[in-house]
Amino acid sequence: MFSRSAAIIPQCSQQVRGMATLKMISIRLKSVKNIQKITQSMKMVSAAKYTKAERELKLARPYGIGAQEFYKKAEVKDEEGEKGQLIIAVSSDRGLCGAVHSSIGRIVKTDIAANPNTKVVIVGDKVRNILQRLYAKNIAMVVTEVGRKPAVFGDAALVAQSIINSGIEFSKGKILFNAFRTVVSFRTTEMPLYSQNAVANASKLPVYDSLDSDVIQSYTEFSLASLLFYSMKENATSEQSSRMTAMDNASKNAGEMIDKLTMTFNRTRQAVITRELIEIISGAAALETKN
């Protein structure tokens, strides 16, 4: 009697183990399918936003290109002195877009390590999360609620006005952002940023007539807003294209995982059925032998 029960217990445990494995695979398969639906929906939303962002970027490029050309023609150079460096890092508040934010954070970390006297103005919450733990003292200002809606020139003007009102002094500055290249690629780019004194001391500035201090101040403020608007549009387009690519890759990976889990589920179910048939046939054979 003892030997029979000892022989039956492993078979029951194997059957229960097989059913538990099937249930676990079924739950995981269902969750992966739900994740695939989410990533496919996010890809479609990002594709629509990317189309709109690319169209708006073409209209915003003259703002940034025009301001940069003026600095080049006037031969504006960095101001001499030890006022420090100013970096404006343009990102957004939203993730799931590849290395869009981490690439900017990595460059900012390198610049701070090279020049500790660096102040950082962060546009977007993601880069703030990257820098806050080690370089919180270098963060001068953070602008949030960016990336949820398409940026307009008024948003860039508010950011520029906040930077000017903060009274941050610098002898060298730059704007970091991701420049859009193609649907599947972007390039982390920096644009030079000059203070009002640097513009006023430009070697070829006297070529332009009627440039007093008020005009230079007004143009410096407008050029800062123009450069920010241009960089925000470039970064938004890069972000949407990168998110679209990331969600497409995630959907493909989910599809591959679904295929593997389905195959594992079928094999496990077939093994359970085969084992049950063997037990039934063995039991029937044992009864026939006994009779």
Side-chain angles (χ1 to χ4, degrees), residues 47-63:
K49 289 184 177 180
Y50 160 72
T51 303
K52 183 179 181 181
E54 187 181 21
R55 184 170 62 250
E56 293 178 351
L57 175 60
K58 295 178 181 178
L59 301 176
R61 273 178 174 156
Y63 287 90

Side-chain angles (χ1 to χ4, degrees), residues 14 33 56 64-65 77 80 122 137 184-185 188 212 228:
Q14 287 178 2
K33 287 182 179 179
E56 293 178 351
I65 295 174
K77 298 181 179 179
E80 296 181 358
I122 301 174
K137 64 180 182 179
V184 294
S185 66
T188 304
D212 54 11
L228 282 173

Side-chain angles (χ1 to χ4, degrees), residues 20-290:
T21 305
L22 280 175
K23 188 174 182 180
M24 291 173 60
I25 296 174
S26 179
I27 293 173
R28 189 177 181 188
L29 186 60
K30 185 177 179 180
S31 65
V32 174
K33 287 182 179 179
N34 292 335
I35 292 173
Q36 187 185 42
K37 291 178 182 178
I38 294 172
T39 55
Q40 287 175 346
S41 300
M42 291 184 67
K43 177 190 172 183
M44 294 174 64
V45 173
S46 298
K49 289 184 177 180
Y50 160 72
T51 303
K52 183 179 181 181
E54 187 181 21
R55 184 170 62 250
E56 293 178 351
L57 175 60
K58 295 178 181 178
L59 301 176
R61 273 178 174 156
Y63 287 90
I65 295 174
Q68 293 180 75
E69 285 298 321
F70 171 77
Y71 290 147
K72 291 179 181 178
K73 298 294 183 183
E75 295 184 359
V76 182
K77 298 181 179 179
D78 294 328
E79 185 180 355
E80 296 181 358
E82 297 297 332
K83 294 181 181 180
Q85 181 180 213
L86 173 64
I87 299 176
I88 302 178
V90 180
S91 66
S92 72
D93 296 344
R94 305 186 65 186
L96 298 177
C97 51
V100 169
H101 307 306
S102 60
S103 60
I104 294 178
R106 184 169 58 252
I107 294 176
V108 174
K109 286 181 179 180
T110 303
D111 290 341
I112 293 176
N115 184 6
N117 189 16
T118 300
K119 295 297 181 182
V120 184
V121 174
I122 301 174
V123 181
D125 199 50
K126 287 299 179 180
V127 173
R128 193 265 300 270
N129 296 335
I130 297 174
L131 301 176
Q132 192 172 20
R133 189 170 65 90
L134 296 177
Y135 303 102
K137 64 180 182 179
N138 297 97
I139 299 176
M141 183 189 304
V142 179
V143 181
T144 57
E145 298 298 325
V146 178
R148 301 184 184 278
K149 295 181 179 180
V152 296
F153 189 82
D155 299 333
L158 287 175
V159 176
Q161 192 63 43
S162 299
I163 295 173
I164 294 170
N165 294 338
S166 65
I168 300 174
E169 294 184 353
F170 61 96
S171 56
K172 181 181 180 181
K174 61 182 177 181
I175 301 176
L176 279 176
F177 64 99
N178 292 302
F180 173 74
R181 298 182 66 183
T182 63
V183 180
V184 294
S185 66
F186 59 88
R187 182 179 65 255
T188 304
T189 309
E190 60 181 52
M191 287 189 301
L193 185 65
Y194 302 102
S195 63
Q196 182 177 343
N197 293 333
V199 176
N201 296 328
S203 59
K204 292 189 177 180
L205 192 65
V207 175
Y208 302 92
D209 296 332
S210 302
L211 287 181
D212 54 11
S213 59
D214 293 336
V215 174
I216 293 175
Q217 180 181 357
S218 298
Y219 181 77
T220 303
E221 295 175 357
F222 177 76
S223 64
L224 176 59
S226 300
L227 291 174
L228 282 173
F229 178 60
Y230 166 65
S231 60
M232 290 168 71
K233 284 297 184 183
E234 285 276 7
N235 196 79
T237 308
S238 302
E239 178 185 346
Q240 296 299 338
S241 64
S242 182
R243 182 175 291 113
M244 182 176 63
T245 304
M247 292 302 102
D248 182 48
N249 293 334
S251 299
K252 291 179 180 178
N253 293 337
E256 294 177 0
M257 188 175 293
I258 288 170
D259 294 338
K260 292 180 180 179
L261 288 173
T262 302
M263 184 178 295
T264 304
F265 179 83
N266 292 334
R267 286 179 176 176
T268 306
R269 183 179 61 180
Q270 189 65 38
V272 172
I273 294 172
T274 304
R275 187 164 55 247
E276 291 177 353
L277 289 174
I278 292 173
E279 292 173 359
I280 294 170
I281 295 170
S282 300
L287 289 175
E288 290 178 0
T289 303
K290 183 177 181 181

Side-chain angles (χ1 to χ4, degrees), residues 1-15 275 279 282 286:
M1 185 67 182
F2 179 79
S3 60
R4 286 186 181 179
S5 60
I8 292 173
I9 289 174
Q11 293 178 1
C12 294
S13 62
Q14 287 178 2
Q15 184 175 359
R275 187 164 55 247
E279 292 173 359
S282 300

